Amino acid sequence: MNVTWLYVPGDRPERFAKAAASGADVVIIDLEDAVAPARKDEARANAVAYLRERPAEGQVHVRINDLATARGREDLAAVGQLADGVRVPKVESAEVLDAIAGAPAYALLESAAGLVNARAIAAHPSVAGIALGEQDLAAELSITDENAMNHLRLQAVIAAAAAGLPPVPMSVYPNVQDEAGLLASSRAGRALGLFGRTAIHPRQIPVIRRAFRPTEEEAARAAEIVEAARAAEQAGLGAVALPDGRFVDAPIVARARRTVALARRLADR
């Protein structure tokens, strides 16, 4: 399961390889917000050239322009068969995703209409994940309260889970100097059921990894459940009993196994 996604502007090809070496699970070449209109054709050409020549390892996604525009459709035609994923901005209905072919789509919900239709969008067969465009949403809805934003985040979490998609990653934290704020914000999102986060600078990657890494207590508790499940299986028992006498069911065991694996993966390098 991916934990970190790093955006890199499509008109800065000299940064592509550095982004790939940053430790991010996924590099996102951005053809949309990070690129001025006059340089968008150049950015698309850069993305295509890199995708054709890139090393085999590492995932590379491309955030295209709005599919409601000719430029967005041209972006999709250029990178749809080359990228590991296509991030589609401003998705407001499932129907707009019918144009997707090739790489899996990651739908970005950035408006009230997109959020209202979140469940249908998440259930579209081309969609591999959804995420919120929080700054656009907050601007459209005039939201300044974090509790109100949490309500919107939970709607996305529920839509993704109902569609069988991976957990929703958090939006970018815009202040690259505020590592303490990034850590606290990420941990708060984790408590809501969000998982992982997009970043705009490599220095944010280790902070995000730390925020979503299970605590020592969580990892120890999960390991205890996994061991109890192993012992029950060896004994031919259907019920899993913990040393303190509590019983846990299959979903709890599955979650414990994921926690153990995640703790190992995100251990300090």
Side-chain angles (χ1 to χ4, degrees):
M1 188 183 302
N2 295 322
V3 181
T4 53
W5 294 258
L6 178 63
Y7 277 109
V8 58
D11 60 348
R12 300 297 301 270
E14 73 280 5
R15 295 184 180 179
F16 293 175
K18 295 178 182 178
S22 68
D25 296 314
V26 181
V27 171
I28 306 172
I29 299 177
D30 192 5
L31 306 183
E32 195 211 11
D33 286 348
V35 181
R39 303 191 68 175
K40 286 185 179 287
D41 288 343
E42 173 191 345
R44 182 197 299 144
N46 292 337
V48 169
Y50 179 74
L51 288 167
R52 285 177 173 164
E53 300 173 1
R54 67 187 171 112
E57 66 274 7
Q59 296 184 62
V60 180
H61 292 187
V62 177
R63 179 164 72 171
I64 62 174
N65 286 280
D66 188 350
L67 277 177
T69 67
R71 187 180 297 279
R73 293 188 291 273
E74 291 165 1
D75 288 342
L76 179 61
V79 305
Q81 302 294 331
L82 298 173
D84 297 310
V86 174
R87 304 184 78 83
V88 186
K90 301 175 175 61
V91 177
E92 296 192 335
S93 71
E95 288 72 24
V96 72
L97 297 165
D98 291 341
I100 300 292
Y106 293 80
L108 306 181
L109 312 181
E110 303 180 85
S111 67
L115 204 53
V116 166
N117 294 316
R119 295 195 184 189
I121 292 168
H124 192 281
S126 294
V127 170
I130 63 172
L132 293 180
E134 292 192 359
Q135 293 185 39
D136 287 350
L137 266 172
E140 178 180 340
L141 301 176
S142 299
I143 289 176
T144 58
D145 183 79
E146 192 69 10
N147 290 326
M149 186 58 70
N150 284 343
H151 175 68
L152 304 185
R153 291 167 180 149
L154 283 171
Q155 290 187 50
V157 168
I158 292 168
L165 297 179
V168 178
M170 297 184 72
S171 295
V172 298
Y173 191 81
N175 187 344
V176 299
Q177 303 292 335
D178 183 14
E179 294 187 2
L182 170 61
L183 183 64
S185 170
S186 299
R187 286 177 171 166
R190 180 187 175 207
L192 289 173
L194 299 162
F195 185 81
R197 190 161 203 163
T198 51
I200 54 175
H201 193 283
R203 70 183 295 173
Q204 294 180 316
I205 298 299
V207 181
I208 295 170
R209 288 173 58 89
R210 189 178 354 141
F212 289 96
R213 181 176 63 207
T215 65
E216 290 185 7
E217 181 181 356
E218 289 169 338
R221 185 64 171 170
E224 181 181 59
I225 294 172
V226 170
E227 175 57 26
R230 184 195 64 78
E233 182 178 354
Q234 286 185 342
L237 301 175
V240 177
L242 300 181
D244 61 10
R246 285 185 295 167
F247 284 83
V248 294
D249 55 14
I252 301 300
V253 173
R255 180 179 179 181
R257 287 175 174 146
R258 291 195 300 269
T259 298
V260 169
L262 186 64
R264 289 172 179 165
R265 180 182 164 199
L266 297 183
D268 288 331
R269 295 176 176 175

